[in-house]
């Protein structure tokens, strides 16, 4: 492919965030850029994919992420509309700011949209959290992951298996670096200041005494379209969560997608359970406090699977597959799908024996962003030399 223009070697690194998990990944990267002996210049672009105060502003504050330099305010829409809007609004920024590269994280629509725009303008793409695969092409994130990795120039991975996935897809391994997990950088940087679970529950208007159960409490997050967009899947899942709540109290931090679908399908009565505390989307410090104090976590989120592994808290993932295989192999994660008896027996096993202990995966040590910054400086230096020749 012939590239349109060669970027100047040292324009800023244009860092893209769009949705909640992106903010958690980007915060330590920007701090590491600023901490270099010659700070790496960065421009922070928020696509506006997530825009609610609960889904965005609060996370920025908790994570000490600087205010975005640019907000594209794309908001919600179908996949095509959202992706296209990000692309349309992102393109002029590249002409205006001439970045040396575009750095994207994770697998949301904003990740792919900005990568596509950049690569077609001849601007290198750096992908943090490359190579994860669920092998489920029905997942929108899997499409975003595969395509972003195909067009990225530098790929930073969280686990060694990602290299096999990338090699199988024909990605040149000289572009791939195993650096660890930036999500865990954020976790370790904030663990000490996480908000205690009881405070979070009280703040939401519930009695904190509910959490004094001898079995402790569970934490629930649920938002994957495959779980929450059809009444046939959401209804039985909420019913089984009601059965889990008979065993131990549950704190359910509810994503707006799930909230809207519960209302649309008339499923609110399934939440009327004295031991199921339904909270709005929580800030980062609140989620960290809830997860750290939990006996178990039930989720379909990718990030939560990793965070529970780092915290050593048993996690039951309500999906048939995961792209974070290492959390199952080495960590505390168990795939339970949507099957009622599998979920209940896994919960019972944890209540009886404490569940999987797991161990923290290699390089999930809180220093991944430092490694990325150091590597990027070298790569940019080599690129600058190539451009001069
Ligand atoms: C997106 C990501 C998903 C990630 C999740 C984290 C894609 C394809 N999906 O899913 O990988 O795990 O973020 O939360 O990029 N909404 C609000 N306020 C907001 C944002 C969304 O009310 O600030 C509601 C809207 O009704 C919207 C719906 O949530 O239509 C879904 O938002 P969207 O960004 O399309 O996808 P998520 O389900 O959040």
């Amino acid at each position: 492919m012939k590239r349109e223009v060669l970027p100047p070697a040292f324009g800023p690194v244009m860092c893209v965030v769009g949705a909640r998990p992106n903010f958690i990944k980007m915060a330590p990267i920007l701090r590491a850029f600023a901490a270099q002996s010659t700070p790496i210049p960065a421009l922070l672009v928020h696509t506006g994919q997530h825009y609610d105060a609960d889904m965005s502003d609060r996370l920025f504050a908790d994570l000490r992420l600087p205010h975005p330099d640019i907000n594209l305010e794309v908001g919600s829409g179908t996949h095509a509309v959202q992706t296209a809007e990000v692309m349309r609004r992102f393109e002029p920024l590249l002409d205006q700011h001439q970045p040396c590269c575009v750095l994207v994280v994770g697998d949301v629509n904003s990740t792919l949209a900005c990568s596509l725009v950049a690569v077609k303008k001849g601007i290198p793409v750096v992908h943090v959290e490359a190579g994860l695969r669920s092998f489920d092409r029905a997942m929108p994130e899997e499409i975003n992951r595969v395509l972003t990795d195909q067009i990225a120039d530098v790929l930073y991975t969280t686990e060694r298996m990602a290299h096999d996935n990338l090699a199988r897809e024909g990605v040149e391994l000289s572009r791939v670096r195993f650096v660890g997990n930036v999500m865990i950088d954020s976790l370790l940087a904030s663990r000490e200041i996480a908000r205690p679970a009881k405070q979070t529950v009280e703040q939401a208007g519930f009695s904190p005494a509910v959490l004094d159960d001898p079995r402790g409490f569970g934490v629930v997050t649920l938002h994957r379209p495959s779980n929450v967009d059809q009444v046939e899947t959401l209804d039985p899942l909420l019913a089984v969560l009601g059965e889990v709540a008979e065993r131990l109290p549950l704190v359910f931090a509810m994503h707006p997608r799930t909230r809207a679908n519960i209302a649309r399908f008339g499923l609110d009565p399934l939440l009327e359970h004295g031991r199921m505390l339904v909270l709005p989307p929580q800030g980062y410090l609140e989620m960290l406090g809830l997860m750290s104090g939990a006996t178990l976590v039930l989720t379909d989120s990718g990030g939560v699977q990793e965070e529970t592994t780092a915290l050593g808290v048993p996690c039951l993932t309500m999906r048939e597959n995961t792209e974070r295989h290492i959390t199952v192999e080495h960590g505390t994660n168990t795939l339970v799908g949507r099957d009622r008896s599998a979920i209940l027996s896994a919960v019972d096993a944890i209540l009886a024996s404490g569940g999987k202990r797991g161990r923290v995966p290699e390089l999930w040590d809180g220093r991944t962003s430092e490694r990325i910054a150091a590597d990027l400086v070298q790569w940019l230096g080599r690129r600058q030399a190539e451009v001069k020749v």
Side-chain angles (χ1 to χ4, degrees):
M1 180 174 58
K2 186 173 179 304
R3 297 198 152 174
E4 268 178 63
V5 277
L6 258 185
F10 273 106
V13 177
M14 194 170 266
C15 297
V16 176
V17 291
R20 198 162 59 165
N22 293 168
F23 311 144
I24 304 170
K25 292 164 195 165
M26 193 61 80
I29 295 175
L30 289 180
R31 280 198 290 278
F33 281 6
Q36 292 296 297
S37 53
T38 309
I40 303 175
L43 260 184
L44 181 60
V45 179
H46 187 348
T47 64
Q49 177 173 344
H50 283 174
Y51 46 85
D52 279 357
D54 282 346
M55 299 292 286
S56 181
D57 302 356
R58 202 162 154 195
L59 278 279
F60 268 72
D62 286 351
L63 292 158
R64 294 175 286 128
L65 246 181
H67 202 70
D69 297 292
I70 298 145
N71 192 326
L72 301 178
E73 297 181 347
V74 294
S76 300
T78 63
H79 285 271
V81 166
Q82 190 175 61
T83 308
E85 259 324 296
V86 173
M87 291 178 72
R88 205 173 62 78
R89 298 183 193 197
F90 187 63
E91 184 173 38
L93 295 185
L94 299 182
D95 296 326
Q96 199 182 335
H97 297 282
Q98 297 284 312
C100 62
C101 61
V102 168
L103 185 146
V104 295
V105 292
D107 54 16
V108 305
N109 285 344
S110 303
T111 308
L112 174 61
C114 294
S115 301
L116 259 178
V117 174
V119 77
K120 293 220 172 178
K121 290 183 84 70
I123 299 181
V125 173
V126 176
H127 186 204
V128 175
E129 199 189 88
L132 297 181
R133 296 291 180 268
S134 65
F135 306 104
D136 175 4
R137 294 268 170 125
M139 255 185 113
E141 294 81 3
E142 183 78 350
I143 304 300
N144 294 340
R145 289 189 276 261
V146 169
L147 297 181
T148 302
D149 287 340
Q150 279 296 322
I151 55 180
D153 292 78
V154 181
L155 299 94
Y156 292 118
T157 63
T158 55
E159 56 174 277
R160 290 190 189 275
M161 193 196 284
H163 296 239
D164 301 336
N165 296 335
L166 292 168
R168 208 177 311 111
E169 291 169 14
V171 175
E172 235 177 81
L173 286 181
S174 59
R175 300 173 173 205
V176 185
R177 290 101 155 112
F178 172 46
V179 287
N181 194 333
V182 285
M183 197 122 196
I184 307 310
D185 291 9
S186 269
L187 183 144
L188 295 176
S190 300
R191 204 175 169 175
E192 301 293 306
I193 53 166
R195 184 135 317 132
K198 282 190 170 180
Q199 264 182 34
T200 300
V201 161
E202 196 165 21
Q203 178 82 27
F206 294 100
S207 162
V210 180
L211 303 190
D212 286 333
D213 190 275
R215 293 172 150 184
F217 64 93
V219 171
V220 181
T221 81
L222 197 62
H223 75 284
R224 290 265 157 250
S226 54
N227 279 337
V228 306
D229 280 4
Q230 280 91 34
V231 66
E232 298 76 20
T233 48
L234 185 54
D235 183 330
L237 266 179
L238 294 178
V240 82
L241 290 175
E243 290 187 71
V244 176
E246 299 289 335
R247 291 156 161 84
L248 84 171
L250 292 181
V251 181
F252 190 161
M254 197 174 281
H255 188 284
R257 173 192 281 277
T258 312
R259 171 90 274 165
N261 286 339
I262 289 174
R264 185 156 64 97
F265 302 142
L267 299 178
D268 279 293
L270 288 173
L271 302 175
E272 283 159 17
H273 189 299
R275 280 153 62 95
M276 188 171 341
L277 317 184
V278 179
L279 274 52
Q282 291 300 300
Y284 183 67
L285 299 177
E286 285 80 4
M287 271 315 288
L288 204 49
L290 286 170
M291 288 188 291
S292 307
T295 303
L296 58 92
V297 173
L298 284 143
T299 193
D300 59 7
S301 148
V304 169
Q305 294 172 56
E306 296 182 338
E307 289 164 339
T308 46
T309 274
L311 291 167
V313 172
C315 178
L316 302 179
T317 297
M318 295 179 286
R319 286 173 48 187
E320 302 301 332
N321 53 53
T322 180
E323 58 291 332
R324 272 102 171 151
H325 303 279
I326 202 160
T327 62
V328 176
E329 276 166 32
H330 295 323
T332 58
N333 193 15
T334 307
L335 293 181
V336 289
R338 282 194 291 263
D339 181 70
R340 174 182 172 273
S341 62
I343 294 172
L344 293 178
S345 58
V347 168
D348 289 336
I350 293 169
L351 294 177
S353 72
K356 276 169 97 169
R357 292 268 170 269
R359 65 177 165 80
V360 177
E362 188 183 0
L363 296 189
W364 291 24
D365 58 358
R367 307 193 66 177
T368 297
S369 308
E370 283 172 40
R371 286 188 281 273
I372 289 175
D375 184 77
L376 211 54
V377 166
Q378 288 198 4
W379 177 74
L380 287 170
R382 285 198 299 277
R383 222 183 128 67
Q384 189 178 40
E386 283 167 19
V387 171
K388 274 187 186 153
V389 171

